[in-house]
Amino acid sequence: MTLPGPPDTPRAEGEGLGNGPPLSDRWIDALPQAVLLTRAGRVRRVNAAAVRLWGVTQERAAGRPVLEVVRRHTLESLLGRGGELELEAGGRTLRCSATHDGDDAALIVEDVTEHRRREAELREATAVLSHEFRTPVAALRGVLEALEYDMPPALAQNFVRQGLQETGRLARLVEDLAVGFRPTRARTLPLAEAFARAERLLSAEVTGRQIRLIFGQDHLVRADPDKLLQVLLNLIENALKYGPGAQPIEVVTAMRGTWVEVAVLDLGPPIPDTESLFRAHTRGQGAAGQGSGMGLYIVRSIVQGWGGQAWAERREGRNAFCFTLPGVGGLG
């Protein structure tokens, strides 16, 4: 590797014409990465990005030991041995690499905070989509399995309608890959419509567990029907999974000013830390079986998208998983 010469290196013919700095200074200062050049353990050059990163001008840095400029033993050691590493500094993620050429060495530091943030968002989006795809895929599988058997035409047509409805949900989820997860198709609808869809999709599981599912008073609300359904399914499925067997699950509603509160109640044991359950990739203590830990995180993300709140509390001896959504002045 040929490293740029120190400030007093003779200029090549044509370099530094006019009143501007030498060409070697101009290209190294144009780099977005912070570059620090050393000779025999002492700094001989820092570029403009390095000045911004470490707050030391070229005049003050030149001739000083490396540690006095970078102020991190980790970087000093890296420069001594060569190689690469990532470190967190001041809330930023820095990718650092060092290389040698005899007594000369170079330390290059790149801020990859935004890159890592985008990677984290992509992982989160993948987890959310994986979780949200599970329900319509399972519903479609149930429809297709039912259609394998002979049945009255009216019943078969009902299954076909369910299959088409879930196919539509899948298509909209695919669109969400590009437009994000906030509700974008809000309309006015009665809660009873969402309750009926949820009850139909969960009927096999409810029947198999011999559990009664009770829905409360109807209200007109303003929401994306698919997102509202996803919230209800996540909360009711959690109650089915973690509540005591053969005990009823109740979905109650109430007006809270201009908002409608919906609460899914089960007779499960008290939950010590309900707030943590709404974090991504978090499951309750003693949770059995497979699970992504994304269900309640998705619930809160969707509800906050339409301006509501989602929380859990202990209510009259039952666990209550609650959310609010905009009301439309009641029915009738």
Side-chain angles (χ1 to χ4, degrees):
M1 179 186 72
T2 302
L3 300 174
D8 57 353
T9 300
R11 299 180 185 179
E13 183 177 353
E15 186 177 354
L17 296 178
N19 296 324
L23 181 60
S24 60
D25 286 5
R26 292 202 300 273
W27 74 257
I28 198 172
D29 282 333
L31 293 174
Q33 300 90 350
V35 178
L36 180 143
L37 306 176
T38 70
R39 176 167 294 158
R42 291 187 174 271
V43 176
R44 63 188 184 89
R45 179 75 167 89
V46 289
N47 72 344
V51 170
R52 292 191 296 270
L53 177 63
W54 290 303
V56 181
T57 64
Q58 168 62 26
E59 291 75 18
R60 292 187 60 191
R64 291 179 177 271
V66 170
L67 186 59
E68 291 186 10
V69 176
V70 301
R71 298 186 294 277
R72 280 183 176 268
H73 287 287
T74 305
L75 293 179
E76 182 189 35
S77 299
L78 178 67
L79 193 56
R81 69 175 184 272
E84 295 184 356
L85 61 80
E86 280 194 9
L87 59 84
E88 300 292 327
R92 313 295 292 177
T93 303
L94 304 177
R95 182 166 56 200
C96 314
S97 60
T99 186
H100 293 269
D101 183 12
D103 286 340
D104 293 337
L107 175 66
I108 302 171
V109 179
E110 181 180 6
D111 188 337
V112 294
T113 306
E114 287 303 306
H115 180 69
R116 294 291 177 261
R117 182 185 62 80
R118 288 192 295 270
E119 285 183 339
E121 288 178 350
L122 180 59
R123 286 193 298 270
E124 180 180 303
T126 301
V128 169
L129 281 172
S130 174
H131 191 283
E132 291 209 24
F133 268 93
R134 189 177 303 143
T135 298
V137 167
L140 279 172
R141 180 178 180 179
V143 166
L144 294 174
E145 288 175 348
L147 290 173
E148 286 185 318
Y149 301 95
D150 291 333
M151 63 182 69
L155 183 58
Q157 186 61 36
N158 183 53
F159 276 111
V160 169
R161 282 196 297 270
Q162 288 186 43
L164 290 173
Q165 190 175 51
E166 294 309 311
T167 301
R169 286 187 66 205
L170 283 173
R172 287 186 285 273
L173 284 172
V174 171
E175 291 176 9
D176 279 348
L177 284 167
V179 302
F181 303 101
R182 289 195 170 188
T184 55
R185 306 173 188 86
R187 66 175 174 86
T188 299
L189 73 154
L191 269 176
E193 177 184 316
F195 290 164
R197 289 181 69 188
E199 187 173 26
R200 185 170 60 249
L201 290 170
L202 295 169
S203 60
E205 187 171 1
V206 169
T207 302
R209 292 173 178 260
Q210 297 183 327
I211 293 175
R212 280 197 308 140
L213 192 54
I214 305 168
F215 292 97
Q217 184 180 359
D218 196 9
H219 296 274
L220 276 179
V221 296
R222 182 77 179 174
D224 180 314
D226 288 331
K227 298 297 185 185
L228 175 56
L229 176 64
Q230 190 65 42
V231 168
L232 288 171
L233 288 175
N234 280 346
L235 295 181
I236 296 172
E237 285 174 338
N238 272 1
L240 288 169
K241 187 182 300 182
Y242 301 116
Q247 295 293 330
I249 294 171
E250 190 173 1
V251 183
V252 300
T253 63
M255 289 298 302
R256 304 295 185 208
T258 59
W259 293 80
V260 175
E261 178 187 292
V262 180
V264 177
L265 306 174
D266 68 70
L267 290 167
I271 301 171
D273 182 13
T274 57
E275 184 61 26
S276 67
L277 296 178
F278 289 88
R279 301 188 192 119
H281 307 293
T282 301
R283 303 182 69 199
Q285 294 180 3
Q290 295 183 344
S292 64
M294 294 295 292
L296 292 178
Y297 173 79
I298 292 170
V299 165
R300 178 168 283 179
S301 297
I302 292 173
V303 172
Q304 288 179 341
W306 63 50
Q309 296 178 308
W311 73 98
E313 63 186 23
R314 191 72 176 170
R315 186 180 294 182
E316 297 179 355
R318 295 185 288 182
N319 292 320
F321 286 83
C322 317
F323 68 95
T324 56
L325 67 165
V328 191
L331 290 172

